[in-house]
Every structure is written in C-alpha cells, then in structure tokens.
Amino acid sequence: LQQIALTLEAETPERALDLLTQLWPAVRDHPAQASEWHALNGLAFYRAQQMKEAILELKTALQQKQQEPVTLLSTLQCGRLLMTLGNLYADLNLAREAESYYLEALQRMVQLDEPNSQTIIRANMARLYIDTDRPAQARRLLDNLLANPALAPDYRAIILGYQAMALNAERDWAGALRALDEAQALYQQLGYPEAGVRLLETRARALQGSGEKQLALQLLTSQGPAGAGSKALQASLLADQGRYPEAYQALNEYVNDYKQHFNQTLSQHAAAFQAEMDLARSEASNRVLQQENENKRQQLLYQQSARYYQLMLVVLLIGALILLGLTTHRLHRSSRHLYKLAT
C-alpha cells in the first residue's frame, strides 16, 4: 500500500489503479487495510478525473474508517479523507458540500492539534469563498493565517496569492499587487520562481484594475498559451486598445474553452449525483438488511424464550406430579395405619 501511494505521487494514476486491482484479493479480508485500499483507489480515480468512482471509493473508505476504534491515527486519516472530499467537491463547483467537508475536517484537525493541516484546510476554504464570490469571508480567513508568525514560507506564499485574488475581487488593486510582490519574493527565496507563473493572471487583473492595461496585456501574452480565464481577460484588454479582431479571436477561444469546461463539469456533476444515488441505495439496502437481521434475531430470541418457558412448565408439571404422587403415597400409608389402629 505504501509503494502504491508513492507510485501515485511519482507516476500516472492509471499505473496505481492497476497495482491496486492486483492487490485487492490480499486486503479484502482485512478491514483496516481494505479502508486504506479504498482511500488510495479513490485518490487515484480523483487524479484520473473519474469523479464518480472517486466519490464512491473515498466515501467507502471514510465509512470504514469511522467504524474503526477511535484512535489518533484513525481520526487523522478521517480528517484527511474529509479534506480530500472537500477538494473534490470544490473542483466540481459544489460549494455547499465542499464547505461542509472542510468544516468537518477542520474540526478533527483542531481536535488533534495539527496546525499545518488546519492551515491547508483554511486556505482551501478561502479559495472556495473566492470562487463563490465571497471575498470578504475569504480575506478574514487569510488575514488570520498571515498573522501567524510561525507560518511556513511556502504556505505564506500560497496564502498571499489567495489574498491577492480576494483583494482583486474587492477592487483593492494596490493591495493585491503588494501581496503578489511579497509572494513572488518568497517563491524566489524558496527556489521556485516558476511557481509565481500561476499568479500571472491575478497580477494582470490587478494591473488592469489599476489602469496599467498595456502592461497587463504584455504580461499575459509573454507567457505562451493562456488558460480560459486569461483568454477572457486578454480579450477585454485587446478590446480596450481597439484591437477588435484579436479580441474577437481571443473571445472565441475563451467561449470554446468555456463550452468544453461546462460540458465536462456537467458530466462530472451527473457522475457525482449518480455516485450519491448509488451510495444512498447501498446504504438503504444495508439498512433493510440490518433490519431483517434484527427481526430474525428478535424472532430467534422469542423462540428461545418460548422454548425456555415451555421447558420450565414441563419441569414444574413433572415436579407437581412427583409431589402429588408422594403425597398420595403418604396419605395411603396413613390411611392403612389408621385402619390398623382402628381394627
């Protein structure tokens, strides 16, 4: 299982899925190992963008973990599974379900006093609030995290990037640029200058908001193929400069990417809904089976009780007959004795 976990990090998820399929017969009869297997299988499906299978496996692993005796390790594993489910539902743009899993995971990590895990969950929640147009709520979380002097530099750089997104949403362009500069400096110190490339779209939006539209456009076009969000921003910047044919082309590319993303998200939502329905049917079937087993157990107990009472009644009846026989015998002896005395 540990080797498969490393394989999942280093190689493709398809390779991990093949290894997990081969390993299943060896772990199916061991509950703790089976739950680990389901967790890894769900993570592999998640990496492979097979959302329905990922939800089924991760929730199966969570249910099995929750049935184990409560220990520090099982609580930690449950928290990580809940965090993964939160990330999965956030990727599916199902914000309410994602927030619910994040909050439950956070509760477990607070219980375990796991500061790093708490930081990751709160940062993910902040990103969720940004994506769902709740920048003020996101910034409160991010400001509290940044106020911690013991926050690791890599975490601080990521959180500063999220803070810049929230500030952009609040139209605080200068604050967003300051946060981006600080994040970029941290990435340089850590030896990951390429990580700052992910912040280019955020920086371009801040520059556009502050009136530096030409600089924002140069920034977007200097880094090769742009993502869907960058294409929409690029089209807006080109239109502001009167370069309408180029803006129209960028906008068409954005619309095509958006349609593809929309169709993919729609199919993923359908898959997630189907997974939820399958789990609900499975749980309902399990409840029916448990109820049937309970009814059979009660019926067996009733039959055992009836047999017990019947046996007690027979014993009492035999005892009464024996007592009656003894009494009759004594009365007969007494009668003969009195007859003899009378004679």
Side-chain angles (χ1 to χ4, degrees):
L1 285 169
Q2 291 175 353
Q3 288 175 348
I4 291 173
L6 292 172
T7 299
L8 188 58
E9 292 294 331
E11 300 182 27
T12 60
E14 288 76 13
R15 173 62 178 159
L17 288 169
D18 290 340
L19 293 172
L20 285 164
T21 302
Q22 296 172 26
L23 187 63
W24 174 242
V27 302
R28 63 169 58 178
D29 296 326
H30 303 276
Q33 294 178 359
S35 64
E36 290 290 333
W37 184 92
H38 284 295
L40 284 172
N41 207 35
L43 190 57
F45 278 124
Y46 183 18
R47 296 277 176 83
Q49 292 297 303
Q50 300 181 42
M51 297 304 190
K52 176 184 175 181
E53 292 79 4
I55 291 172
L56 287 171
E57 288 296 293
L58 289 170
K59 287 195 170 183
T60 300
L62 181 61
Q63 289 173 357
Q64 292 181 353
K65 282 293 177 190
Q66 289 173 336
Q67 292 171 1
E68 294 179 8
V70 178
T71 62
L72 291 176
L73 179 59
S74 66
T75 304
L76 178 63
Q77 290 171 335
C78 283
R80 287 175 175 169
L81 282 168
L82 289 164
M83 183 167 60
T84 303
L85 281 165
N87 292 339
L88 190 154
Y89 278 99
D91 288 348
L92 292 174
N93 298 320
L94 297 172
R96 185 175 62 181
E97 291 82 357
E99 185 176 7
S100 174
Y101 281 116
Y102 281 147
L103 289 172
E104 192 174 350
L106 183 61
Q107 182 181 0
R108 304 218 178 203
M109 295 308 178
V110 169
Q111 177 186 347
L112 291 173
D113 191 22
E114 282 279 334
N116 287 340
S117 298
Q118 293 176 43
T119 299
I120 294 170
I121 294 169
R122 288 191 169 100
N124 289 342
M125 288 177 66
R127 179 59 190 266
L128 178 68
Y129 294 149
I130 293 169
D131 292 340
T132 53
D133 199 23
R134 290 181 281 175
Q137 198 170 352
R139 202 156 61 79
R140 282 195 295 271
L141 269 178
L142 296 168
D143 289 345
N144 287 335
L145 290 172
L146 291 170
N148 179 12
L151 184 65
D154 50 346
Y155 288 167
R156 185 174 293 276
I158 294 170
I159 292 167
L160 283 166
Y162 289 163
Q163 187 187 48
M165 294 179 187
L167 290 168
N168 272 347
E170 294 181 331
R171 306 179 70 82
D172 184 357
W173 318 116
L177 289 171
R178 285 195 300 271
L180 289 167
D181 289 341
E182 189 176 348
Q184 188 68 46
L186 283 172
Y187 281 129
Q188 293 285 349
Q189 292 174 11
L190 293 168
Y192 305 126
E194 68 280 357
V197 174
R198 296 196 299 267
L199 303 175
L200 284 179
E201 184 182 337
T202 306
R203 184 179 291 276
R205 290 188 183 280
L207 290 169
Q208 181 191 32
S210 60
E212 299 287 345
K213 297 181 180 181
Q214 179 61 36
L215 185 57
L217 183 60
Q218 290 176 358
L219 191 64
L220 288 176
T221 55
S222 64
Q223 299 299 325
S230 297
K231 288 176 183 176
L233 179 58
Q234 188 175 342
S236 174
L237 291 167
L238 288 167
D240 288 341
Q241 294 186 2
R243 298 162 63 179
Y244 298 114
E246 296 172 74
Y248 183 74
Q249 181 181 355
L251 194 58
N252 270 336
E253 292 176 0
Y254 165 72
V255 170
N256 290 333
D257 288 348
Y258 181 80
K259 285 179 180 178
Q260 183 179 357
H261 173 73
F262 177 82
N263 291 332
Q264 182 181 3
T265 302
L266 188 62
S267 64
Q268 289 175 345
H269 282 191
F273 177 74
Q274 184 63 44
E276 296 285 356
M277 292 297 295
D278 290 346
L279 283 170
R281 279 194 292 267
S282 176
E283 290 173 1
S285 177
N286 289 337
R287 284 195 295 269
V288 169
L289 185 60
Q290 289 174 358
Q291 186 63 42
E292 289 176 354
N293 291 337
E294 181 63 21
N295 292 339
K296 289 179 181 178
R297 190 179 71 85
Q298 293 293 339
Q299 186 177 3
L300 182 61
L301 288 174
Y302 174 76
Q303 291 174 351
Q304 290 174 348
S305 299
R307 284 197 294 269
Y308 172 76
Y309 287 125
Q310 288 173 357
L311 180 63
M312 288 294 294
L313 184 60
V314 169
V315 170
L316 289 173
L317 183 59
I318 292 172
L321 290 173
I322 293 172
L323 183 60
L324 180 62
L326 290 172
T327 304
T328 303
H329 179 68
R330 291 182 64 185
L331 286 173
H332 182 67
R333 286 179 59 189
S334 298
S335 175
R336 287 178 61 189
H337 181 64
L338 288 173
Y339 177 79
K340 184 178 180 181
L341 289 175
T343 301

